[in-house]
Amino acid sequence: MNDTERPLFSLFHIGNSIQALNKRSEKTMGLSLVQWCLLRCLIDMPASSAHLLAKAVGVHPSTLTQTLKRLERKNFIFITEDPKDSRKKLISITRSGRDVLEVTGASIDDWSRDLSILGEDLHRVRSYLQGRLSKEA
């Protein structure tokens, strides 16, 4: 493996680690990482539009549709019409959604430990990208 390939292998390792963490999260907490992030955003941004939530989480609004439906089926969120514009929907967290976030506190500590092992990979990728950017500048 050469110096150019090493950061790519690191990215692959990071991606696989996050996928494994997501699977474990779904199995142990009943929430994917995206679902957890959405619920956390709704604590800070109550009655938000899908557009605002997508922006906060960093995904396209159309990708949230299925995730929001799953959270609604689990009774973790509820969706209402926007009183200012009936074409828009507002998403809010339910008491059950708040409760599941309280229960997940210990799991978040586990996530932090799991992600801390990626430090070397993250550093390698960041260094590579900074080097590439400085050559282009």
Side-chain angles (χ1 to χ4, degrees):
M1 173 176 6
N2 63 39
D3 288 343
T4 303
E5 294 173 331
R6 193 173 319 266
L8 297 175
F9 278 90
S10 292
L11 278 175
F12 180 74
H13 182 246
I14 291 166
N16 281 340
S17 297
I18 291 171
Q19 284 179 350
L21 179 60
N22 192 53
K23 283 182 183 181
R24 195 166 61 251
S25 168
E26 286 180 320
K27 192 180 266 188
T28 59
M29 295 187 320
L31 290 175
S32 69
L33 297 174
V34 171
Q35 290 171 340
W36 182 86
C37 286
L38 286 170
L39 291 177
R40 282 295 305 132
C41 285
L42 286 169
I43 294 289
D44 298 330
M45 302 166 33
S48 292
S49 68
H51 178 76
L52 284 175
L53 285 173
K55 191 174 180 181
V57 176
V59 297
H60 192 274
S62 65
T63 62
L64 285 186
T65 303
Q66 291 303 313
T67 304
L68 292 172
K69 285 180 181 179
R70 284 186 200 101
L71 288 171
E72 189 175 30
R73 279 194 302 267
K74 291 178 181 183
N75 195 33
F76 293 157
I77 63 168
F78 63 95
I79 301 173
T80 58
E81 282 187 8
D82 185 335
K84 297 175 188 169
D85 184 348
S86 62
R87 296 170 298 167
K88 293 183 181 179
K89 305 290 183 201
L90 296 177
I91 301 131
S92 300
I93 192 167
T94 63
R95 182 72 213 148
S96 297
R98 290 177 183 275
D99 290 345
V100 78
L101 285 178
E102 287 179 24
V103 171
T104 61
S107 298
I108 303 307
D109 293 337
D110 293 340
W111 292 356
S112 296
R113 279 191 296 280
D114 290 347
L115 292 175
S116 68
I117 64 168
L118 297 177
E120 185 177 324
D121 286 316
L122 290 168
H123 177 72
R124 186 176 296 122
V125 170
R126 184 179 65 217
S127 295
Y128 174 77
L129 292 174
Q130 286 173 334
R132 296 290 298 198
L133 289 172
S134 65
K135 288 179 185 176
E136 292 176 9

